mmCIF file with all atom_site columns, all heavy atoms in Angstrom:
data_model
loop_
_atom_site.group_PDB
_atom_site.id
_atom_site.type_symbol
_atom_site.label_atom_id
_atom_site.label_alt_id
_atom_site.label_comp_id
_atom_site.label_asym_id
_atom_site.label_entity_id
_atom_site.label_seq_id
_atom_site.pdbx_PDB_ins_code
_atom_site.Cartn_x
_atom_site.Cartn_y
_atom_site.Cartn_z
_atom_site.occupancy
_atom_site.B_iso_or_equiv
_atom_site.pdbx_formal_charge
_atom_site.auth_seq_id
_atom_site.auth_comp_id
_atom_site.auth_asym_id
_atom_site.auth_atom_id
_atom_site.pdbx_PDB_model_num
ATOM 1   N N   . GLU A 1 90  ? -51.540 -68.394 -111.443 1.00 57.00 ? 97  GLU A N   1
ATOM 2   C CA  . GLU A 1 90  ? -52.583 -67.899 -110.554 1.00 57.00 ? 97  GLU A CA  1
ATOM 3   C C   . GLU A 1 90  ? -53.715 -68.903 -110.346 1.00 57.00 ? 97  GLU A C   1
ATOM 4   O O   . GLU A 1 90  ? -54.652 -68.629 -109.607 1.00 57.00 ? 97  GLU A O   1
ATOM 5   C CB  . GLU A 1 90  ? -53.186 -66.605 -111.138 1.00 57.00 ? 97  GLU A CB  1
ATOM 6   C CG  . GLU A 1 90  ? -52.196 -65.466 -111.272 1.00 57.00 ? 97  GLU A CG  1
ATOM 7   C CD  . GLU A 1 90  ? -51.939 -64.778 -109.957 1.00 57.00 ? 97  GLU A CD  1
ATOM 8   O OE1 . GLU A 1 90  ? -52.854 -64.729 -109.126 1.00 57.00 ? 97  GLU A OE1 1
ATOM 9   O OE2 . GLU A 1 90  ? -50.822 -64.281 -109.766 1.00 57.00 ? 97  GLU A OE2 1
ATOM 10  N N   . LEU A 1 91  ? -53.632 -70.072 -110.979 1.00 56.00 ? 98  LEU A N   1
ATOM 11  C CA  . LEU A 1 91  ? -54.774 -70.980 -110.976 1.00 56.00 ? 98  LEU A CA  1
ATOM 12  C C   . LEU A 1 91  ? -55.173 -71.442 -109.582 1.00 56.00 ? 98  LEU A C   1
ATOM 13  O O   . LEU A 1 91  ? -56.348 -71.660 -109.304 1.00 56.00 ? 98  LEU A O   1
ATOM 14  C CB  . LEU A 1 91  ? -54.484 -72.198 -111.854 1.00 56.00 ? 98  LEU A CB  1
ATOM 15  C CG  . LEU A 1 91  ? -54.676 -71.986 -113.351 1.00 56.00 ? 98  LEU A CG  1
ATOM 16  C CD1 . LEU A 1 91  ? -54.327 -73.258 -114.113 1.00 56.00 ? 98  LEU A CD1 1
ATOM 17  C CD2 . LEU A 1 91  ? -56.094 -71.564 -113.668 1.00 56.00 ? 98  LEU A CD2 1
ATOM 18  N N   . MET A 1 92  ? -54.216 -71.596 -108.689 1.00 53.00 ? 99  MET A N   1
ATOM 19  C CA  . MET A 1 92  ? -54.552 -72.072 -107.351 1.00 53.00 ? 99  MET A CA  1
ATOM 20  C C   . MET A 1 92  ? -55.271 -71.011 -106.529 1.00 53.00 ? 99  MET A C   1
ATOM 21  O O   . MET A 1 92  ? -55.958 -71.319 -105.566 1.00 53.00 ? 99  MET A O   1
ATOM 22  C CB  . MET A 1 92  ? -53.278 -72.534 -106.627 1.00 53.00 ? 99  MET A CB  1
ATOM 23  C CG  . MET A 1 92  ? -52.621 -73.747 -107.272 1.00 53.00 ? 99  MET A CG  1
ATOM 24  S SD  . MET A 1 92  ? -53.754 -75.148 -107.471 1.00 53.00 ? 99  MET A SD  1
ATOM 25  C CE  . MET A 1 92  ? -54.066 -75.534 -105.755 1.00 53.00 ? 99  MET A CE  1
ATOM 26  N N   . ASP A 1 93  ? -55.110 -69.758 -106.890 1.00 57.00 ? 100 ASP A N   1
ATOM 27  C CA  . ASP A 1 93  ? -55.786 -68.680 -106.172 1.00 57.00 ? 100 ASP A CA  1
ATOM 28  C C   . ASP A 1 93  ? -57.160 -68.465 -106.786 1.00 57.00 ? 100 ASP A C   1
ATOM 29  O O   . ASP A 1 93  ? -57.417 -67.490 -107.479 1.00 57.00 ? 100 ASP A O   1
ATOM 30  C CB  . ASP A 1 93  ? -54.953 -67.405 -106.225 1.00 57.00 ? 100 ASP A CB  1
ATOM 31  C CG  . ASP A 1 93  ? -55.513 -66.310 -105.322 1.00 57.00 ? 100 ASP A CG  1
ATOM 32  O OD1 . ASP A 1 93  ? -56.488 -66.584 -104.596 1.00 57.00 ? 100 ASP A OD1 1
ATOM 33  O OD2 . ASP A 1 93  ? -54.984 -65.201 -105.356 1.00 57.00 ? 100 ASP A OD2 1
ATOM 34  N N   . THR A 1 94  ? -58.081 -69.394 -106.511 1.00 59.00 ? 101 THR A N   1
ATOM 35  C CA  . THR A 1 94  ? -59.380 -69.360 -107.164 1.00 59.00 ? 101 THR A CA  1
ATOM 36  C C   . THR A 1 94  ? -60.176 -68.118 -106.798 1.00 59.00 ? 101 THR A C   1
ATOM 37  O O   . THR A 1 94  ? -60.920 -67.575 -107.612 1.00 59.00 ? 101 THR A O   1
ATOM 38  C CB  . THR A 1 94  ? -60.185 -70.617 -106.799 1.00 59.00 ? 101 THR A CB  1
ATOM 39  O OG1 . THR A 1 94  ? -59.381 -71.767 -107.012 1.00 59.00 ? 101 THR A OG1 1
ATOM 40  C CG2 . THR A 1 94  ? -61.442 -70.722 -107.648 1.00 59.00 ? 101 THR A CG2 1
ATOM 41  N N   . MET A 1 95  ? -60.041 -67.644 -105.559 1.00 56.00 ? 102 MET A N   1
ATOM 42  C CA  . MET A 1 95  ? -60.807 -66.475 -105.156 1.00 56.00 ? 102 MET A CA  1
ATOM 43  C C   . MET A 1 95  ? -60.383 -65.237 -105.941 1.00 56.00 ? 102 MET A C   1
ATOM 44  O O   . MET A 1 95  ? -61.165 -64.307 -106.110 1.00 56.00 ? 102 MET A O   1
ATOM 45  C CB  . MET A 1 95  ? -60.636 -66.230 -103.657 1.00 56.00 ? 102 MET A CB  1
ATOM 46  C CG  . MET A 1 95  ? -61.266 -67.320 -102.794 1.00 56.00 ? 102 MET A CG  1
ATOM 47  S SD  . MET A 1 95  ? -63.049 -67.527 -103.055 1.00 56.00 ? 102 MET A SD  1
ATOM 48  C CE  . MET A 1 95  ? -63.668 -66.139 -102.114 1.00 56.00 ? 102 MET A CE  1
ATOM 49  N N   . THR A 1 96  ? -59.147 -65.218 -106.435 1.00 61.00 ? 103 THR A N   1
ATOM 50  C CA  . THR A 1 96  ? -58.715 -64.113 -107.291 1.00 61.00 ? 103 THR A CA  1
ATOM 51  C C   . THR A 1 96  ? -59.535 -64.096 -108.570 1.00 61.00 ? 103 THR A C   1
ATOM 52  O O   . THR A 1 96  ? -59.971 -63.048 -109.035 1.00 61.00 ? 103 THR A O   1
ATOM 53  C CB  . THR A 1 96  ? -57.219 -64.246 -107.628 1.00 61.00 ? 103 THR A CB  1
ATOM 54  O OG1 . THR A 1 96  ? -56.469 -64.056 -106.426 1.00 61.00 ? 103 THR A OG1 1
ATOM 55  C CG2 . THR A 1 96  ? -56.797 -63.205 -108.645 1.00 61.00 ? 103 THR A CG2 1
ATOM 56  N N   . LEU A 1 97  ? -59.780 -65.267 -109.154 1.00 67.00 ? 104 LEU A N   1
ATOM 57  C CA  . LEU A 1 97  ? -60.574 -65.351 -110.375 1.00 67.00 ? 104 LEU A CA  1
ATOM 58  C C   . LEU A 1 97  ? -62.046 -65.078 -110.088 1.00 67.00 ? 104 LEU A C   1
ATOM 59  O O   . LEU A 1 97  ? -62.731 -64.422 -110.870 1.00 67.00 ? 104 LEU A O   1
ATOM 60  C CB  . LEU A 1 97  ? -60.431 -66.738 -111.001 1.00 67.00 ? 104 LEU A CB  1
ATOM 61  C CG  . LEU A 1 97  ? -59.030 -67.148 -111.464 1.00 67.00 ? 104 LEU A CG  1
ATOM 62  C CD1 . LEU A 1 97  ? -59.065 -68.563 -112.016 1.00 67.00 ? 104 LEU A CD1 1
ATOM 63  C CD2 . LEU A 1 97  ? -58.501 -66.176 -112.497 1.00 67.00 ? 104 LEU A CD2 1
ATOM 64  N N   . PHE A 1 98  ? -62.537 -65.562 -108.954 1.00 67.00 ? 105 PHE A N   1
ATOM 65  C CA  . PHE A 1 98  ? -63.959 -65.486 -108.661 1.00 67.00 ? 105 PHE A CA  1
ATOM 66  C C   . PHE A 1 98  ? -64.374 -64.104 -108.169 1.00 67.00 ? 105 PHE A C   1
ATOM 67  O O   . PHE A 1 98  ? -65.373 -63.544 -108.618 1.00 67.00 ? 105 PHE A O   1
ATOM 68  C CB  . PHE A 1 98  ? -64.315 -66.554 -107.617 1.00 67.00 ? 105 PHE A CB  1
ATOM 69  C CG  . PHE A 1 98  ? -65.741 -66.517 -107.161 1.00 67.00 ? 105 PHE A CG  1
ATOM 70  C CD1 . PHE A 1 98  ? -66.777 -66.666 -108.070 1.00 67.00 ? 105 PHE A CD1 1
ATOM 71  C CD2 . PHE A 1 98  ? -66.054 -66.340 -105.836 1.00 67.00 ? 105 PHE A CD2 1
ATOM 72  C CE1 . PHE A 1 98  ? -68.097 -66.642 -107.660 1.00 67.00 ? 105 PHE A CE1 1
ATOM 73  C CE2 . PHE A 1 98  ? -67.362 -66.322 -105.401 1.00 67.00 ? 105 PHE A CE2 1
ATOM 74  C CZ  . PHE A 1 98  ? -68.383 -66.470 -106.319 1.00 67.00 ? 105 PHE A CZ  1
ATOM 75  N N   . GLN A 1 99  ? -63.620 -63.520 -107.255 1.00 61.00 ? 106 GLN A N   1
ATOM 76  C CA  . GLN A 1 99  ? -64.017 -62.245 -106.669 1.00 61.00 ? 106 GLN A CA  1
ATOM 77  C C   . GLN A 1 99  ? -63.102 -61.091 -107.071 1.00 61.00 ? 106 GLN A C   1
ATOM 78  O O   . GLN A 1 99  ? -63.338 -59.955 -106.693 1.00 61.00 ? 106 GLN A O   1
ATOM 79  C CB  . GLN A 1 99  ? -64.050 -62.365 -105.143 1.00 61.00 ? 106 GLN A CB  1
ATOM 80  C CG  . GLN A 1 99  ? -65.150 -63.305 -104.654 1.00 61.00 ? 106 GLN A CG  1
ATOM 81  C CD  . GLN A 1 99  ? -65.244 -63.352 -103.142 1.00 61.00 ? 106 GLN A CD  1
ATOM 82  O OE1 . GLN A 1 99  ? -64.266 -63.086 -102.448 1.00 61.00 ? 106 GLN A OE1 1
ATOM 83  N NE2 . GLN A 1 99  ? -66.413 -63.679 -102.628 1.00 61.00 ? 106 GLN A NE2 1
ATOM 84  N N   . HIS A 1 100 ? -62.053 -61.374 -107.821 1.00 57.00 ? 107 HIS A N   1
ATOM 85  C CA  . HIS A 1 100 ? -61.160 -60.342 -108.344 1.00 57.00 ? 107 HIS A CA  1
ATOM 86  C C   . HIS A 1 100 ? -60.549 -59.514 -107.218 1.00 57.00 ? 107 HIS A C   1
ATOM 87  O O   . HIS A 1 100 ? -60.369 -58.309 -107.329 1.00 57.00 ? 107 HIS A O   1
ATOM 88  C CB  . HIS A 1 100 ? -61.907 -59.421 -109.325 1.00 57.00 ? 107 HIS A CB  1
ATOM 89  C CG  . HIS A 1 100 ? -60.989 -58.596 -110.172 1.00 57.00 ? 107 HIS A CG  1
ATOM 90  N ND1 . HIS A 1 100 ? -60.081 -59.135 -111.034 1.00 57.00 ? 107 HIS A ND1 1
ATOM 91  C CD2 . HIS A 1 100 ? -60.836 -57.253 -110.279 1.00 57.00 ? 107 HIS A CD2 1
ATOM 92  C CE1 . HIS A 1 100 ? -59.414 -58.178 -111.651 1.00 57.00 ? 107 HIS A CE1 1
ATOM 93  N NE2 . HIS A 1 100 ? -59.851 -57.019 -111.212 1.00 57.00 ? 107 HIS A NE2 1
ATOM 94  N N   . THR A 1 128 ? -63.472 -62.571 -114.808 1.00 90.00 ? 135 THR A N   1
ATOM 95  C CA  . THR A 1 128 ? -62.056 -62.293 -115.012 1.00 90.00 ? 135 THR A CA  1
ATOM 96  C C   . THR A 1 128 ? -61.668 -62.527 -116.469 1.00 90.00 ? 135 THR A C   1
ATOM 97  O O   . THR A 1 128 ? -61.987 -63.563 -117.051 1.00 90.00 ? 135 THR A O   1
ATOM 98  C CB  . THR A 1 128 ? -61.200 -63.189 -114.107 1.00 90.00 ? 135 THR A CB  1
ATOM 99  O OG1 . THR A 1 128 ? -61.518 -62.916 -112.746 1.00 90.00 ? 135 THR A OG1 1
ATOM 100 C CG2 . THR A 1 128 ? -59.717 -62.936 -114.327 1.00 90.00 ? 135 THR A CG2 1
ATOM 101 N N   . LEU A 1 188 ? -64.474 -73.316 -117.663 1.00 88.00 ? 195 LEU A N   1
ATOM 102 C CA  . LEU A 1 188 ? -63.817 -73.695 -116.423 1.00 88.00 ? 195 LEU A CA  1
ATOM 103 C C   . LEU A 1 188 ? -63.497 -72.512 -115.520 1.00 88.00 ? 195 LEU A C   1
ATOM 104 O O   . LEU A 1 188 ? -63.259 -72.681 -114.332 1.00 88.00 ? 195 LEU A O   1
ATOM 105 C CB  . LEU A 1 188 ? -62.534 -74.459 -116.754 1.00 88.00 ? 195 LEU A CB  1
ATOM 106 C CG  . LEU A 1 188 ? -61.913 -75.356 -115.693 1.00 88.00 ? 195 LEU A CG  1
ATOM 107 C CD1 . LEU A 1 188 ? -62.910 -76.389 -115.184 1.00 88.00 ? 195 LEU A CD1 1
ATOM 108 C CD2 . LEU A 1 188 ? -60.678 -76.047 -116.246 1.00 88.00 ? 195 LEU A CD2 1
ATOM 109 N N   . TYR A 1 189 ? -63.513 -71.285 -116.075 1.00 88.00 ? 196 TYR A N   1
ATOM 110 C CA  . TYR A 1 189 ? -63.184 -70.099 -115.272 1.00 88.00 ? 196 TYR A CA  1
ATOM 111 C C   . TYR A 1 189 ? -64.306 -69.068 -115.310 1.00 88.00 ? 196 TYR A C   1
ATOM 112 O O   . TYR A 1 189 ? -64.077 -67.894 -115.048 1.00 88.00 ? 196 TYR A O   1
ATOM 113 C CB  . TYR A 1 189 ? -61.877 -69.487 -115.782 1.00 88.00 ? 196 TYR A CB  1
ATOM 114 C CG  . TYR A 1 189 ? -60.783 -70.508 -115.974 1.00 88.00 ? 196 TYR A CG  1
ATOM 115 C CD1 . TYR A 1 189 ? -60.252 -70.750 -117.238 1.00 88.00 ? 196 TYR A CD1 1
ATOM 116 C CD2 . TYR A 1 189 ? -60.314 -71.254 -114.903 1.00 88.00 ? 196 TYR A CD2 1
ATOM 117 C CE1 . TYR A 1 189 ? -59.273 -71.714 -117.420 1.00 88.00 ? 196 TYR A CE1 1
ATOM 118 C CE2 . TYR A 1 189 ? -59.336 -72.217 -115.082 1.00 88.00 ? 196 TYR A CE2 1
ATOM 119 C CZ  . TYR A 1 189 ? -58.816 -72.443 -116.339 1.00 88.00 ? 196 TYR A CZ  1
ATOM 120 O OH  . TYR A 1 189 ? -57.853 -73.398 -116.518 1.00 88.00 ? 196 TYR A OH  1
ATOM 121 N N   . TYR A 1 191 ? -67.776 -68.036 -113.643 1.00 92.00 ? 198 TYR A N   1
ATOM 122 C CA  . TYR A 1 191 ? -68.594 -68.277 -112.469 1.00 92.00 ? 198 TYR A CA  1
ATOM 123 C C   . TYR A 1 191 ? -69.983 -67.645 -112.579 1.00 92.00 ? 198 TYR A C   1
ATOM 124 O O   . TYR A 1 191 ? -70.624 -67.382 -111.556 1.00 92.00 ? 198 TYR A O   1
ATOM 125 C CB  . TYR A 1 191 ? -67.872 -67.771 -111.224 1.00 92.00 ? 198 TYR A CB  1
ATOM 126 C CG  . TYR A 1 191 ? -66.704 -68.660 -110.840 1.00 92.00 ? 198 TYR A CG  1
ATOM 127 C CD1 . TYR A 1 191 ? -65.444 -68.459 -111.396 1.00 92.00 ? 198 TYR A CD1 1
ATOM 128 C CD2 . TYR A 1 191 ? -66.866 -69.717 -109.960 1.00 92.00 ? 198 TYR A CD2 1
ATOM 129 C CE1 . TYR A 1 191 ? -64.374 -69.273 -111.076 1.00 92.00 ? 198 TYR A CE1 1
ATOM 130 C CE2 . TYR A 1 191 ? -65.806 -70.548 -109.629 1.00 92.00 ? 198 TYR A CE2 1
ATOM 131 C CZ  . TYR A 1 191 ? -64.563 -70.316 -110.192 1.00 92.00 ? 198 TYR A CZ  1
ATOM 132 O OH  . TYR A 1 191 ? -63.506 -71.148 -109.868 1.00 92.00 ? 198 TYR A OH  1
ATOM 133 N N   . ASP A 1 199 ? -65.422 -69.887 -98.648  1.00 65.00 ? 206 ASP A N   1
ATOM 134 C CA  . ASP A 1 199 ? -64.293 -70.804 -98.586  1.00 65.00 ? 206 ASP A CA  1
ATOM 135 C C   . ASP A 1 199 ? -63.418 -70.601 -99.802  1.00 65.00 ? 206 ASP A C   1
ATOM 136 O O   . ASP A 1 199 ? -63.882 -70.679 -100.943 1.00 65.00 ? 206 ASP A O   1
ATOM 137 C CB  . ASP A 1 199 ? -64.817 -72.245 -98.534  1.00 65.00 ? 206 ASP A CB  1
ATOM 138 C CG  . ASP A 1 199 ? -63.744 -73.244 -98.156  1.00 65.00 ? 206 ASP A CG  1
ATOM 139 O OD1 . ASP A 1 199 ? -62.571 -72.985 -98.482  1.00 65.00 ? 206 ASP A OD1 1
ATOM 140 O OD2 . ASP A 1 199 ? -64.077 -74.269 -97.548  1.00 65.00 ? 206 ASP A OD2 1
ATOM 141 N N   . GLU A 1 200 ? -62.130 -70.361 -99.598  1.00 71.00 ? 207 GLU A N   1
ATOM 142 C CA  . GLU A 1 200 ? -61.223 -70.096 -100.710 1.00 71.00 ? 207 GLU A CA  1
ATOM 143 C C   . GLU A 1 200 ? -60.914 -71.339 -101.535 1.00 71.00 ? 207 GLU A C   1
ATOM 144 O O   . GLU A 1 200 ? -60.206 -71.262 -102.537 1.00 71.00 ? 207 GLU A O   1
ATOM 145 C CB  . GLU A 1 200 ? -59.925 -69.481 -100.187 1.00 71.00 ? 207 GLU A CB  1
ATOM 146 C CG  . GLU A 1 200 ? -60.131 -68.097 -99.591  1.00 71.00 ? 207 GLU A CG  1
ATOM 147 C CD  . GLU A 1 200 ? -58.826 -67.424 -99.232  1.00 71.00 ? 207 GLU A CD  1
ATOM 148 O OE1 . GLU A 1 200 ? -57.753 -68.019 -99.490  1.00 71.00 ? 207 GLU A OE1 1
ATOM 149 O OE2 . GLU A 1 200 ? -58.865 -66.300 -98.694  1.00 71.00 ? 207 GLU A OE2 1
ATOM 150 N N   . THR A 1 201 ? -61.425 -72.492 -101.111 1.00 75.00 ? 208 THR A N   1
ATOM 151 C CA  . THR A 1 201 ? -61.191 -73.710 -101.894 1.00 75.00 ? 208 THR A CA  1
ATOM 152 C C   . THR A 1 201 ? -62.228 -73.903 -102.988 1.00 75.00 ? 208 THR A C   1
ATOM 153 O O   . THR A 1 201 ? -62.128 -74.846 -103.764 1.00 75.00 ? 208 THR A O   1
ATOM 154 C CB  . THR A 1 201 ? -61.191 -74.954 -100.990 1.00 75.00 ? 208 THR A CB  1
ATOM 155 O OG1 . THR A 1 201 ? -62.479 -75.094 -100.377 1.00 75.00 ? 208 THR A OG1 1
ATOM 156 C CG2 . THR A 1 201 ? -60.120 -74.841 -99.924  1.00 75.00 ? 208 THR A CG2 1
ATOM 157 N N   . LEU A 1 202 ? -63.240 -73.053 -103.077 1.00 81.00 ? 209 LEU A N   1
ATOM 158 C CA  . LEU A 1 202 ? -64.232 -73.237 -104.132 1.00 81.00 ? 209 LEU A CA  1
ATOM 159 C C   . LEU A 1 202 ? -63.560 -73.154 -105.488 1.00 81.00 ? 209 LEU A C   1
ATOM 160 O O   . LEU A 1 202 ? -62.587 -72.430 -105.684 1.00 81.00 ? 209 LEU A O   1
ATOM 161 C CB  . LEU A 1 202 ? -65.344 -72.197 -104.041 1.00 81.00 ? 209 LEU A CB  1
ATOM 162 C CG  . LEU A 1 202 ? -65.272 -70.947 -104.954 1.00 81.00 ? 209 LEU A CG  1
ATOM 163 C CD1 . LEU A 1 202 ? -66.611 -70.305 -105.049 1.00 81.00 ? 209 LEU A CD1 1
ATOM 164 C CD2 . LEU A 1 202 ? -64.230 -69.953 -104.487 1.00 81.00 ? 209 LEU A CD2 1
ATOM 165 N N   . ARG A 1 203 ? -64.074 -73.907 -106.441 1.00 86.00 ? 210 ARG A N   1
ATOM 166 C CA  . ARG A 1 203 ? -63.519 -73.862 -107.791 1.00 86.00 ? 210 ARG A CA  1
ATOM 167 C C   . ARG A 1 203 ? -64.394 -74.666 -108.744 1.00 86.00 ? 210 ARG A C   1
ATOM 168 O O   . ARG A 1 203 ? -65.141 -75.560 -108.335 1.00 86.00 ? 210 ARG A O   1
ATOM 169 C CB  . ARG A 1 203 ? -62.092 -74.413 -107.826 1.00 86.00 ? 210 ARG A CB  1
ATOM 170 C CG  . ARG A 1 203 ? -61.959 -75.908 -107.552 1.00 86.00 ? 210 ARG A CG  1
ATOM 171 C CD  . ARG A 1 203 ? -60.501 -76.298 -107.360 1.00 86.00 ? 210 ARG A CD  1
ATOM 172 N NE  . ARG A 1 203 ? -59.937 -75.629 -106.201 1.00 86.00 ? 210 ARG A NE  1
ATOM 173 C CZ  . ARG A 1 203 ? -58.919 -74.772 -106.289 1.00 86.00 ? 210 ARG A CZ  1
ATOM 174 N NH1 . ARG A 1 203 ? -58.377 -74.483 -107.448 1.00 86.00 ? 210 ARG A NH1 1
ATOM 175 N NH2 . ARG A 1 203 ? -58.436 -74.205 -105.192 1.00 86.00 ? 210 ARG A NH2 1
ATOM 176 N N   . LEU A 1 204 ? -64.290 -74.339 -110.012 1.00 89.00 ? 211 LEU A N   1
ATOM 177 C CA  . LEU A 1 204 ? -64.834 -75.180 -111.071 1.00 89.00 ? 211 LEU A CA  1
ATOM 178 C C   . LEU A 1 204 ? -63.740 -76.166 -111.456 1.00 89.00 ? 211 LEU A C   1
ATOM 179 O O   . LEU A 1 204 ? -62.563 -75.804 -111.555 1.00 89.00 ? 211 LEU A O   1
ATOM 180 C CB  . LEU A 1 204 ? -65.255 -74.337 -112.268 1.00 89.00 ? 211 LEU A CB  1
ATOM 181 C CG  . LEU A 1 204 ? -66.451 -73.408 -112.030 1.00 89.00 ? 211 LEU A CG  1
ATOM 182 C CD1 . LEU A 1 204 ? -66.584 -72.391 -113.160 1.00 89.00 ? 211 LEU A CD1 1
ATOM 183 C CD2 . LEU A 1 204 ? -67.746 -74.202 -111.897 1.00 89.00 ? 211 LEU A CD2 1
ATOM 184 N N   . PHE A 1 214 ? -68.913 -77.969 -110.077 1.00 91.00 ? 221 PHE A N   1
ATOM 185 C CA  . PHE A 1 214 ? -68.639 -76.891 -109.138 1.00 91.00 ? 221 PHE A CA  1
ATOM 186 C C   . PHE A 1 214 ? -68.414 -77.453 -107.749 1.00 91.00 ? 221 PHE A C   1
ATOM 187 O O   . PHE A 1 214 ? -69.306 -78.074 -107.165 1.00 91.00 ? 221 PHE A O   1
ATOM 188 C CB  . PHE A 1 214 ? -69.803 -75.900 -109.121 1.00 91.00 ? 221 PHE A CB  1
ATOM 189 C CG  . PHE A 1 214 ? -69.634 -74.784 -108.123 1.00 91.00 ? 221 PHE A CG  1
ATOM 190 C CD1 . PHE A 1 214 ? -68.506 -73.979 -108.145 1.00 91.00 ? 221 PHE A CD1 1
ATOM 191 C CD2 . PHE A 1 214 ? -70.603 -74.550 -107.171 1.00 91.00 ? 221 PHE A CD2 1
ATOM 192 C CE1 . PHE A 1 214 ? -68.337 -72.955 -107.221 1.00 91.00 ? 221 PHE A CE1 1
ATOM 193 C CE2 . PHE A 1 214 ? -70.455 -73.515 -106.247 1.00 91.00 ? 221 PHE A CE2 1
ATOM 194 C CZ  . PHE A 1 214 ? -69.315 -72.724 -106.270 1.00 91.00 ? 221 PHE A CZ  1
ATOM 195 N N   . PHE A 1 215 ? -67.206 -77.248 -107.211 1.00 88.00 ? 222 PHE A N   1
ATOM 196 C CA  . PHE A 1 215 ? -66.891 -77.625 -105.846 1.00 88.00 ? 222 PHE A CA  1
ATOM 197 C C   . PHE A 1 215 ? -67.137 -76.416 -104.952 1.00 88.00 ? 222 PHE A C   1
ATOM 198 O O   . PHE A 1 215 ? -66.516 -75.370 -105.126 1.00 88.00 ? 222 PHE A O   1
ATOM 199 C CB  . PHE A 1 215 ? -65.433 -78.092 -105.743 1.00 88.00 ? 222 PHE A CB  1
ATOM 200 C CG  . PHE A 1 215 ? -64.997 -78.364 -104.341 1.00 88.00 ? 222 PHE A CG  1
ATOM 201 C CD1 . PHE A 1 215 ? -65.556 -79.406 -103.618 1.00 88.00 ? 222 PHE A CD1 1
ATOM 202 C CD2 . PHE A 1 215 ? -64.028 -77.584 -103.741 1.00 88.00 ? 222 PHE A CD2 1
ATOM 203 C CE1 . PHE A 1 215 ? -65.158 -79.656 -102.317 1.00 88.00 ? 222 PHE A CE1 1
ATOM 204 C CE2 . PHE A 1 215 ? -63.621 -77.827 -102.438 1.00 88.00 ? 222 PHE A CE2 1
ATOM 205 C CZ  . PHE A 1 215 ? -64.185 -78.867 -101.723 1.00 88.00 ? 222 PHE A CZ  1
#
Side-chain angles (χ1 to χ4, degrees):
E97 298 282 329
L98 279 179
M99 295 306 295
D100 188 5
T101 310
M102 293 301 282
T103 293
L104 297 178
F105 176 59
Q106 293 184 335
H107 196 61
T135 299
L195 200 56
Y196 312 117
Y198 287 87
D206 193 330
E207 294 187 2
T208 62
L209 98 162
R210 68 190 63 242
L211 293 167
F221 177 55
F222 174 66

